[in-house]
Amino acid sequence: MSTQNVEVVRRFFQLFEEGRLADIEALLAPDFEWVYHGPASLPWAGVRRGVTGFREFFGIVRELIQVQECIAHEYLDAGDRVVVLGVSRTLVLANGARYEAQWMNVFTVRDGLISRYLDLYDTASVVEALHRAPQEGSAAP
């Protein structure tokens, strides 16, 4: 069963890479919970629940950053949990700053659906980039 759980999570990342966020919603359990640890200065940190919370998260993120690359480079099968290690490279829309952050996600999969998404991230690099002043002569796209 756990190999199927890894495939569910791989599908999550494939759809994310393709920009098909609405299709990801079909992978979420009705009691889905997304926990993104981070300081209060990180606008999308916190706990979000259900499809509504999933949409809320991306509504906030889309206004502030553009993910240039999100690479899930290792999937660790832990039964009903799938641990994913990766790196993201991102552009901050307001100031043109870029950051690279290492991350670890722990997905809980139940009956073929993602019920919990624990998002552990290098938030220091994100907060620093979000609050960096725009460089003179450079324009954010």
Side-chain angles (χ1 to χ4, degrees), residues 24-34 48-54 108-116:
I24 291 174
E25 293 175 9
L27 299 176
L28 306 179
D31 62 345
F32 172 72
E33 178 181 69
W34 189 341
R48 294 191 168 64
R49 291 182 173 81
V51 169
T52 302
F54 178 83
T108 303
V109 182
R110 186 181 65 244
D111 299 325
L113 297 174
I114 298 168
S115 61
R116 189 163 196 264

Short mmCIF file of all heavy atoms in Angstrom, two decimals, residues 24-34 48-54 108-116:
data_model
loop_
_atom_site.label_atom_id
_atom_site.label_comp_id
_atom_site.label_asym_id
_atom_site.label_seq_id
_atom_site.Cartn_x
_atom_site.Cartn_y
_atom_site.Cartn_z
N ILE A 24 -4.94 19.14 -8.23
CA ILE A 24 -4.39 18.63 -6.97
C ILE A 24 -5.52 18.44 -5.95
O ILE A 24 -5.48 17.52 -5.13
CB ILE A 24 -3.31 19.56 -6.40
CG1 ILE A 24 -2.06 19.53 -7.30
CG2 ILE A 24 -2.95 19.19 -4.96
CD1 ILE A 24 -0.98 20.53 -6.91
N GLU A 25 -6.52 19.28 -6.02
CA GLU A 25 -7.61 19.22 -5.05
C GLU A 25 -8.26 17.84 -4.98
O GLU A 25 -8.71 17.42 -3.92
CB GLU A 25 -8.66 20.29 -5.36
CG GLU A 25 -8.11 21.70 -5.16
CD GLU A 25 -9.08 22.78 -5.57
OE1 GLU A 25 -10.26 22.47 -5.87
OE2 GLU A 25 -8.66 23.95 -5.59
N ALA A 26 -8.26 17.11 -6.09
CA ALA A 26 -8.84 15.76 -6.11
C ALA A 26 -8.01 14.77 -5.30
O ALA A 26 -8.49 13.69 -4.95
CB ALA A 26 -8.97 15.27 -7.55
N LEU A 27 -6.77 15.14 -4.98
CA LEU A 27 -5.89 14.28 -4.19
C LEU A 27 -6.02 14.53 -2.69
O LEU A 27 -5.40 13.83 -1.89
CB LEU A 27 -4.42 14.49 -4.60
CG LEU A 27 -4.05 14.19 -6.04
CD1 LEU A 27 -2.58 14.56 -6.27
CD2 LEU A 27 -4.29 12.73 -6.37
N LEU A 28 -6.81 15.52 -2.31
CA LEU A 28 -6.90 15.92 -0.90
C LEU A 28 -8.10 15.28 -0.22
O LEU A 28 -9.22 15.31 -0.74
CB LEU A 28 -7.02 17.45 -0.81
CG LEU A 28 -5.94 18.26 -1.53
CD1 LEU A 28 -6.20 19.75 -1.37
CD2 LEU A 28 -4.55 17.88 -1.07
N ALA A 29 -7.86 14.75 0.97
CA ALA A 29 -8.93 14.17 1.79
C ALA A 29 -9.84 15.30 2.27
O ALA A 29 -9.41 16.46 2.39
CB ALA A 29 -8.34 13.43 2.98
N PRO A 30 -11.10 15.00 2.57
CA PRO A 30 -12.02 16.02 3.07
C PRO A 30 -11.51 16.73 4.33
O PRO A 30 -11.77 17.92 4.53
CB PRO A 30 -13.31 15.25 3.37
CG PRO A 30 -13.24 14.04 2.50
CD PRO A 30 -11.77 13.70 2.40
N ASP A 31 -10.74 16.02 5.17
CA ASP A 31 -10.21 16.62 6.40
C ASP A 31 -8.74 17.04 6.24
O ASP A 31 -8.00 17.15 7.21
CB ASP A 31 -10.35 15.65 7.57
CG ASP A 31 -9.57 14.35 7.36
OD1 ASP A 31 -9.13 14.07 6.22
OD2 ASP A 31 -9.39 13.61 8.35
N PHE A 32 -8.35 17.33 5.00
CA PHE A 32 -6.98 17.74 4.69
C PHE A 32 -6.51 18.88 5.60
O PHE A 32 -7.25 19.82 5.85
CB PHE A 32 -6.91 18.18 3.23
CG PHE A 32 -5.60 18.81 2.83
CD1 PHE A 32 -4.46 18.03 2.69
CD2 PHE A 32 -5.51 20.16 2.59
CE1 PHE A 32 -3.26 18.61 2.31
CE2 PHE A 32 -4.31 20.75 2.21
CZ PHE A 32 -3.19 19.96 2.07
N GLU A 33 -5.27 18.76 6.07
CA GLU A 33 -4.65 19.80 6.91
C GLU A 33 -3.26 20.07 6.38
O GLU A 33 -2.47 19.15 6.19
CB GLU A 33 -4.58 19.32 8.36
CG GLU A 33 -3.91 20.31 9.28
CD GLU A 33 -3.82 19.80 10.70
OE1 GLU A 33 -3.05 18.84 10.95
OE2 GLU A 33 -4.53 20.35 11.55
N TRP A 34 -2.94 21.35 6.16
CA TRP A 34 -1.63 21.77 5.68
C TRP A 34 -1.00 22.61 6.78
O TRP A 34 -1.50 23.67 7.14
CB TRP A 34 -1.77 22.60 4.42
CG TRP A 34 -0.50 22.93 3.70
CD1 TRP A 34 0.78 22.91 4.18
CD2 TRP A 34 -0.40 23.36 2.34
NE1 TRP A 34 1.66 23.29 3.21
CE2 TRP A 34 0.96 23.57 2.07
CE3 TRP A 34 -1.34 23.59 1.34
CZ2 TRP A 34 1.41 24.01 0.82
CZ3 TRP A 34 -0.89 24.03 0.10
CH2 TRP A 34 0.47 24.23 -0.15
N ARG A 48 -3.75 25.42 7.50
CA ARG A 48 -4.91 25.59 6.63
C ARG A 48 -5.60 24.24 6.47
O ARG A 48 -4.93 23.21 6.42
CB ARG A 48 -4.48 26.16 5.29
CG ARG A 48 -3.95 27.58 5.50
CD ARG A 48 -3.74 28.35 4.25
NE ARG A 48 -3.50 29.74 4.55
CZ ARG A 48 -2.47 30.22 5.23
NH1 ARG A 48 -1.58 29.42 5.74
NH2 ARG A 48 -2.34 31.52 5.44
N ARG A 49 -6.91 24.29 6.35
CA ARG A 49 -7.67 23.04 6.30
C ARG A 49 -8.57 22.98 5.08
O ARG A 49 -9.13 24.00 4.67
CB ARG A 49 -8.50 22.89 7.57
CG ARG A 49 -7.62 22.65 8.79
CD ARG A 49 -8.44 22.47 10.07
NE ARG A 49 -7.57 22.09 11.16
CZ ARG A 49 -6.83 22.93 11.88
NH1 ARG A 49 -6.86 24.21 11.62
NH2 ARG A 49 -6.06 22.48 12.87
N GLY A 50 -8.70 21.77 4.56
CA GLY A 50 -9.60 21.50 3.45
C GLY A 50 -9.16 22.15 2.16
O GLY A 50 -8.12 22.79 2.07
N VAL A 51 -9.99 21.97 1.14
CA VAL A 51 -9.72 22.57 -0.17
C VAL A 51 -9.70 24.09 -0.05
O VAL A 51 -8.89 24.77 -0.68
CB VAL A 51 -10.77 22.09 -1.20
CG1 VAL A 51 -10.68 22.89 -2.49
CG2 VAL A 51 -10.58 20.60 -1.49
N THR A 52 -10.55 24.64 0.81
CA THR A 52 -10.58 26.09 1.02
C THR A 52 -9.23 26.59 1.51
O THR A 52 -8.72 27.60 1.03
CB THR A 52 -11.70 26.47 2.01
OG1 THR A 52 -12.93 25.99 1.49
CG2 THR A 52 -11.76 27.96 2.22
N GLY A 53 -8.64 25.89 2.47
CA GLY A 53 -7.33 26.27 2.99
C GLY A 53 -6.25 26.13 1.94
O GLY A 53 -5.33 26.95 1.86
N PHE A 54 -6.34 25.09 1.12
CA PHE A 54 -5.39 24.88 0.02
C PHE A 54 -5.44 26.07 -0.93
O PHE A 54 -4.41 26.63 -1.30
CB PHE A 54 -5.74 23.57 -0.69
CG PHE A 54 -4.88 23.23 -1.87
CD1 PHE A 54 -3.66 22.61 -1.69
CD2 PHE A 54 -5.29 23.52 -3.16
CE1 PHE A 54 -2.86 22.28 -2.77
CE2 PHE A 54 -4.51 23.20 -4.25
CZ PHE A 54 -3.28 22.58 -4.05
N THR A 108 0.86 12.69 4.90
CA THR A 108 0.14 11.53 5.41
C THR A 108 -0.92 11.19 4.38
O THR A 108 -1.70 12.07 3.98
CB THR A 108 -0.52 11.82 6.77
OG1 THR A 108 0.50 12.25 7.69
CG2 THR A 108 -1.22 10.59 7.32
N VAL A 109 -0.90 9.94 3.92
CA VAL A 109 -1.84 9.50 2.89
C VAL A 109 -2.73 8.43 3.49
O VAL A 109 -2.25 7.46 4.09
CB VAL A 109 -1.09 8.96 1.65
CG1 VAL A 109 -2.07 8.55 0.58
CG2 VAL A 109 -0.11 10.01 1.11
N ARG A 110 -4.03 8.65 3.34
CA ARG A 110 -5.02 7.70 3.87
C ARG A 110 -6.03 7.40 2.78
O ARG A 110 -6.61 8.31 2.19
CB ARG A 110 -5.71 8.34 5.08
CG ARG A 110 -6.65 7.42 5.82
CD ARG A 110 -7.33 8.11 7.01
NE ARG A 110 -8.20 9.19 6.56
CZ ARG A 110 -8.04 10.47 6.84
NH1 ARG A 110 -7.04 10.90 7.57
NH2 ARG A 110 -8.88 11.37 6.38
N ASP A 111 -6.20 6.12 2.47
CA ASP A 111 -7.16 5.69 1.45
C ASP A 111 -6.93 6.38 0.11
O ASP A 111 -7.87 6.78 -0.58
CB ASP A 111 -8.61 5.93 1.92
CG ASP A 111 -8.95 5.15 3.19
OD1 ASP A 111 -8.43 4.02 3.34
OD2 ASP A 111 -9.70 5.69 4.02
N GLY A 112 -5.65 6.56 -0.22
CA GLY A 112 -5.30 7.15 -1.51
C GLY A 112 -5.40 8.66 -1.60
O GLY A 112 -5.23 9.23 -2.67
N LEU A 113 -5.70 9.32 -0.47
CA LEU A 113 -5.82 10.77 -0.45
C LEU A 113 -4.88 11.37 0.59
O LEU A 113 -4.62 10.76 1.63
CB LEU A 113 -7.26 11.18 -0.12
CG LEU A 113 -8.33 10.76 -1.13
CD1 LEU A 113 -9.71 11.10 -0.60
CD2 LEU A 113 -8.09 11.41 -2.49
N ILE A 114 -4.42 12.57 0.33
CA ILE A 114 -3.52 13.27 1.25
C ILE A 114 -4.36 13.89 2.37
O ILE A 114 -5.22 14.74 2.11
CB ILE A 114 -2.72 14.35 0.51
CG1 ILE A 114 -1.84 13.70 -0.57
CG2 ILE A 114 -1.88 15.15 1.50
CD1 ILE A 114 -1.24 14.68 -1.55
N SER A 115 -4.10 13.45 3.59
CA SER A 115 -4.87 13.98 4.72
C SER A 115 -4.09 15.04 5.50
O SER A 115 -4.68 15.89 6.16
CB SER A 115 -5.31 12.87 5.66
OG SER A 115 -4.20 12.19 6.18
N ARG A 116 -2.76 14.98 5.41
CA ARG A 116 -1.94 15.97 6.13
C ARG A 116 -0.68 16.26 5.34
O ARG A 116 -0.09 15.38 4.74
CB ARG A 116 -1.56 15.45 7.51
CG ARG A 116 -0.91 16.50 8.39
CD ARG A 116 -0.95 16.08 9.87
NE ARG A 116 -0.67 17.19 10.74
CZ ARG A 116 0.55 17.45 11.25
NH1 ARG A 116 1.57 16.67 10.98
NH2 ARG A 116 0.71 18.48 12.05
#
